[in-house]
């Protein structure tokens, strides 16, 4: 089973700053089958990035994903007030078919 | 509007059963793999089960294998999760989610796809 580790657990930043979130896999993720989701309190998750670096429909270009193999990164170039949330990475290529990371909370400093 | 609406959650005693439903609208349901994901109170996301578009492939997390059954009725645009032998640790919000790719590929091990549309979730509480 592929285990995903996210760091840091919490990231305290101010609006306008750059956020860099890390997701590390215990084994190589097949074909970069790695996604990132944003979740706000009381809401369902929202897909941000799939295939490690492709933005989902309607996602602003301040969100970008990169990486391959076992190391992946989500970058938010300039934080907007609505970006403060919890972010999860997900691998969807290996058995068990899907695993999620524990999440990184981005909160206001 | 593309939409998923879950129903069927509630309070159930340990050992009991519950059937969740997810009604899809606004897209060709029969052409997409579908998934269930849960989130215990204050915790992260946990994948539960997936089913391919024609029900040919079905996958379960080890934590629910043998207790939960996923199914779909493409004629009714609906996804289901039959949950038996419920435990306290099954307490969570249960989300249904659509796989991103129209007529996406599936194999014996997975339907490798991200989840692009999510329902609002339905709460399941297992307690005596």
């Amino acid at each position: 089973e592929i285990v995903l580790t996210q760091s840091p657990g919490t990231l305290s930043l101010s609006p306008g700053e750059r956020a860099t979130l890390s997701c590390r896999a215990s084994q190589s993720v097949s074909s970069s089958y790695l996604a990132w989701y944003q979740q706000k309190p009381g809401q369902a998750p929202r897909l941000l990035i799939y295939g490690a670096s492709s933005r989902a429909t309607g996602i602003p270009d301040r969100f970008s994903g990169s990486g391959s193999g076992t190391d992946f990164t989500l970058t938010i170039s300039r934080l907007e007030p609505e970006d403060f949330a919890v972010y999860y990475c997900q691998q969807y290529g290996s058995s068990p078919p899907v695993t999620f990371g524990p999440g990184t909370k981005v909160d206001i400093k | 509007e593309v939409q998923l609406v879950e129903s069927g959650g509630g309070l159930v005693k340990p050992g009991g059963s519950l059937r969740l439903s997810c009604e899809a609208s606004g897209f060709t349901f029969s052409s997409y793999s579908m998934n269930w994901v849960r989130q215990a109170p204050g915790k992260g996301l946990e994948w539960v089960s997936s089913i391919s578009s024609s029900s040919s492939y079905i996958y379960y997390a080890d934590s629910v294998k043998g207790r939960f059954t996923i199914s779909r009725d493409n004629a009714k645009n609906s996804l289901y999760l039959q949950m038996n032998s419920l435990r306290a640790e099954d307490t969570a919000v249960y989300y249904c989610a659509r796989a991103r790719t129209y007529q996406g590929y599936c194999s014996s091990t997975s339907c490798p796809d991200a989840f692009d549309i999510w329902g609002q979730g339905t709460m399941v509480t297992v307690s005596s």
Side-chain angles (χ1 to χ4, degrees), chain B residues 105-117:
Chain B
Y105 164 78
C106 292
S107 72
S108 59
T109 55
S110 71
C111 297
D113 210 347
F115 304 163
D116 69 335
I117 304 297

Side-chain angles (χ1 to χ4, degrees), chain A residues 1 33 35 37 39 42-47 49-51 56 88 90 92-103, chain B residues 35 37 39 43-47 50 59-62 95 100 105 109-121:
Chain A
E1 174 180 337
Y33 288 144
Y37 297 83
Q39 188 179 34
Q43 296 186 16
R46 176 172 73 142
L47 176 65
I49 300 288
Y50 63 93
Y88 295 94
Q90 173 208 38
Y92 51 89
S94 297
S95 185
V98 175
T99 51
F100 288 93
Chain B
N35 310 273
V37 176
Q39 186 170 36
K43 303 298 183 183
L45 302 171
E46 180 188 14
W47 169 76
S50 300
Y59 320 90
Y60 296 101
D62 286 345
Y95 296 101
R100 190 185 63 85
Y105 164 78
T109 55
S110 71
C111 297
D113 210 347
F115 304 163
D116 69 335
I117 304 297
W118 295 65
Q120 85 290 349

Side-chain angles (χ1 to χ4, degrees), chain B residues 54-80:
Chain B
S54 61
S55 305
S56 297
Y57 296 104
I58 287 175
Y59 320 90
Y60 296 101
D62 286 345
S63 58
V64 307
K65 201 173 293 183
R67 301 187 299 122
F68 290 11
T69 302
I70 191 172
S71 62
R72 63 190 296 162
D73 185 336
N74 287 342
K76 295 183 178 179
N77 291 335
S78 292
L79 175 72
Y80 306 101

Side-chain angles (χ1 to χ4, degrees), chain B residues 13-105:
Chain B
K13 290 181 167 54
S17 298
L18 214 52
R19 189 195 196 207
L20 306 184
S21 299
C22 171
E23 185 170 347
S25 59
F27 65 97
T28 307
F29 178 74
S30 60
S31 295
Y32 290 86
S33 298
M34 295 296 296
N35 310 273
W36 287 99
V37 176
R38 68 184 180 183
Q39 186 170 36
K43 303 298 183 183
L45 302 171
E46 180 188 14
W47 169 76
V48 173
S49 183
S50 300
I51 186 169
S52 63
S53 59
S54 61
S55 305
S56 297
Y57 296 104
I58 287 175
Y59 320 90
Y60 296 101
D62 286 345
S63 58
V64 307
K65 201 173 293 183
R67 301 187 299 122
F68 290 11
T69 302
I70 191 172
S71 62
R72 63 190 296 162
D73 185 336
N74 287 342
K76 295 183 178 179
N77 291 335
S78 292
L79 175 72
Y80 306 101
L81 187 68
Q82 177 66 44
M83 304 186 296
N84 298 331
S85 303
L86 282 161
R87 306 166 180 167
E89 54 265 35
D90 296 319
T91 294
V93 174
Y94 284 73
Y95 296 101
C96 66
R98 187 187 81 170
R100 190 185 63 85
T101 305
Y102 175 78
Q103 296 182 338
Y105 164 78

Side-chain angles (χ1 to χ4, degrees), chain A residues 65-101:
Chain A
S66 63
S68 64
T70 61
D71 289 297
F72 299 88
T73 301
L74 174 70
T75 302
I76 310 171
S77 59
R78 285 179 56 86
L79 283 163
E80 297 288 342
E82 61 268 28
D83 298 337
F84 292 93
V86 179
Y87 293 83
Y88 295 94
C89 61
Q90 173 208 38
Q91 73 80 24
Y92 51 89
S94 297
S95 185
V98 175
T99 51
F100 288 93

